[in-house]
Amino acid sequence: MLRLAAASLAGTAIEFYDFFVYGTAAALVLGPLFFPTFSPVAGTLAAFGTFGVGFVARPLGSILFGHFGDRRGRRPVLVASLLLTGASTVAVGCVPSYGSIGVAAPVLLLVLRFLQGLGLGGEWGGAVLLTAEHAPAGRRGLWSSFPQIGPAVGFLLANGVMLALSATLTDAQFAQWGWRVPFWVAGVLALGGLWLRSSLAESPRFLELDDHARVPLAEVVREHWRLVLLTAGALSVGYAVFYAVTTWSLAYGTERLGVSRTVMLTCIMAAVVVKGSLTPLVALLSDRYGRRTLCLLGCTAAALWMFPMVALLATGAPLLMFVGFLGALLAFVTMFAVVGAYLPELYEPRVRCTGAAVGYNLGGVLGGALTPVVATALAEHGGRVPWGVGAYLTGIALFSLGCFALLPETRPVGAVAAEPVAG
């Protein structure tokens, strides 16, 4: 289990590195380079728009890769998704700017971002299910949390590279070529991930299935549509909170508050370190107290903390911003540390790869794709403290709380694994 969990963690870290490095670049540099005819705010909005395309593609990737995951196995999905995401990320680093090829530059950016999202949409389902379906029932929450640490590691890698470049290069050097380096690094990471995944065993739960769904998506839509919508709505707050902290606040702090890139990245990364470190502990609590219980607690905390978070951000003081980010990410991790076990337990094994991944990634469309764009627009028309952003995030948290309240508990009782209880 430790070897399998480590390989899953490494794989998701690499894939999310690819995804996050684009978000950081969108907040810092892509607007002026690829949308130079726009005003600074409009350029940032356009860059965040291409960022959102990746989220729109993720459910499509879940459908595509989920079909093969339910029909052919979880393991092949991990290799194919990693190849697609890695190749498209390296290609982003090679796209000429608007000044070189004109409108073709943002079009290419858009296409490659779509391919990134397509690959990541398949990654989560394969990695989480391979771990969850190998794990013993009484510790499924703990072992399934390892792939959930991957996003934190990927984020730290992406922003660590950006931070190092930002601190050592001049603004002109960073804008000219420095921002491309993290995208090229993705190629090396992808090769390492393929090596790690080459020897993983197929999920025993998949191998036990005698009857595979012919068209998994059709079965999910026909028999589990309500569950997909509820899980998507429930998870939308996690995406909204995470990308408000890691993407929108980065742009807001540097552009509106005049805080340096280095300070903003350091504050955000420090909060993400704490979040990632606590993921296994929170997941272990879900094995004892229940998945749904932790999700309801985290969602409530998010609803209560959004206004304090934007107020602390608006101070521009590093320590206060860190406290605001940390509170938000602690609420986030209380929910997302357990979903690696929770979502697979909600769906029956024959359509689990499709159902769990589609629900998870639809939540990304609702919460992740829109949040940087909406928050930027709301902050532009507000005062120094962006209360509108706080209201928007609080509203999403309350909506998600209602969705979580309608979902059942799935934690296994004793040593016997609870197979799906909802549909």
Side-chain angles (χ1 to χ4, degrees):
M1 280 306 308
L2 185 60
R3 180 172 171 274
L4 175 65
S8 294
L9 188 160
T12 53
I14 292 165
E15 293 248 23
F16 275 92
Y17 167 91
D18 297 350
F19 201 74
F20 288 145
V21 78
Y22 190 100
T24 305
L28 295 177
V29 73
L30 294 187
L33 288 177
F34 289 89
F35 305 96
T37 59
F38 292 16
S39 69
V41 172
T44 300
L45 283 169
F48 280 153
T50 62
F51 174 73
V53 167
F55 285 98
V56 175
R58 282 172 63 169
L60 300 177
S62 300
I63 294 169
L64 174 64
F65 289 102
H67 177 87
F68 293 102
D70 285 323
R71 293 282 298 165
R72 304 296 181 187
R74 322 308 192 198
R75 185 175 172 272
V77 167
L78 298 181
V79 175
S81 63
L82 186 59
L83 278 171
L84 178 59
T85 308
S88 56
T89 303
V90 172
V92 169
C94 300
V95 176
S97 67
Y98 185 95
S100 299
I101 60 173
V103 73
V107 171
L108 283 173
L109 204 64
L110 201 67
V111 171
L112 292 171
R113 180 59 176 172
F114 181 86
L115 293 176
Q116 263 193 329
L118 204 67
L120 190 61
E123 160 67 23
W124 185 86
V128 166
L129 289 191
L130 200 62
T131 307
E133 292 182 340
H134 272 92
R139 285 291 180 265
R140 187 177 294 143
L142 173 63
W143 289 114
S144 299
S145 73
F146 278 76
Q148 293 300 92
I149 302 173
V153 175
F155 177 84
L156 292 172
L157 283 173
N159 285 273
V161 174
M162 283 287 191
L163 181 61
L165 291 167
S166 181
T168 55
L169 301 177
T170 65
D171 287 347
Q173 290 172 325
F174 184 79
Q176 185 176 12
W177 59 268
W179 69 272
R180 298 180 184 273
V181 173
F183 290 90
W184 297 335
V185 170
V188 179
L189 295 177
L191 292 175
L194 290 172
W195 176 78
L196 282 172
R197 290 181 165 181
S198 61
S199 60
L200 293 181
E202 183 54 80
S203 157
R205 194 70 187 89
F206 176 80
L207 295 175
E208 291 169 3
L209 287 174
D210 296 322
D211 182 27
H212 300 288
R214 289 177 58 84
V215 185
L217 178 63
E219 192 167 318
V220 167
V221 172
R222 184 174 62 250
E223 299 181 13
H224 305 285
W225 63 270
R226 180 177 179 272
L227 182 57
V228 169
L229 293 179
L230 283 177
T231 52
L235 297 178
S236 62
V237 62
Y239 284 100
V241 168
F242 188 83
Y243 287 101
V245 170
T246 61
T247 302
W248 166 74
S249 67
L250 180 59
Y252 182 81
T254 55
E255 294 174 7
R256 287 289 298 275
L257 303 179
V259 182
S260 73
R261 287 193 302 260
T262 302
V263 170
M264 289 301 303
L265 286 170
T266 301
C267 291
I268 295 169
M269 288 172 64
V272 172
V273 167
V274 178
K275 187 270 294 186
S277 302
L278 292 177
T279 299
L281 175 61
V282 175
L284 189 61
L285 292 175
S286 79
D287 283 325
R288 181 168 184 178
Y289 299 108
R291 326 288 191 216
R292 180 174 173 269
T293 301
L294 270 293
C295 289
L296 289 171
L297 178 62
C299 206
T300 302
L304 295 174
W305 188 250
M306 292 302 96
F307 281 109
M309 184 195 78
V310 297
L312 291 168
L313 169 63
T315 66
L319 181 59
L320 294 180
M321 290 192 298
F322 165 73
V323 171
F325 298 153
L326 180 60
L329 292 184
L330 289 179
F332 165 86
V333 77
T334 306
M335 296 175 278
F336 270 57
V338 308
V339 299
Y342 193 23
L343 262 65
E345 289 172 347
L346 285 168
Y347 292 87
E348 59 181 304
R350 57 186 276 117
V351 295
R352 186 173 279 166
C353 196
T354 300
V358 169
Y360 183 85
N361 287 299
L362 276 178
V365 176
L366 295 174
L370 296 176
T371 292
V373 175
V374 173
T376 299
L378 290 172
E380 175 64 14
H381 299 290
R384 180 175 176 83
V385 181
W387 296 119
V389 178
Y392 170 73
L393 295 172
T394 301
I396 294 178
L398 294 174
F399 168 70
S400 293
L401 184 64
C403 293
F404 273 125
L406 295 173
L407 288 171
E409 181 57 77
T410 62
R411 177 175 56 94
V413 178
V416 180
E419 283 300 350
V421 295

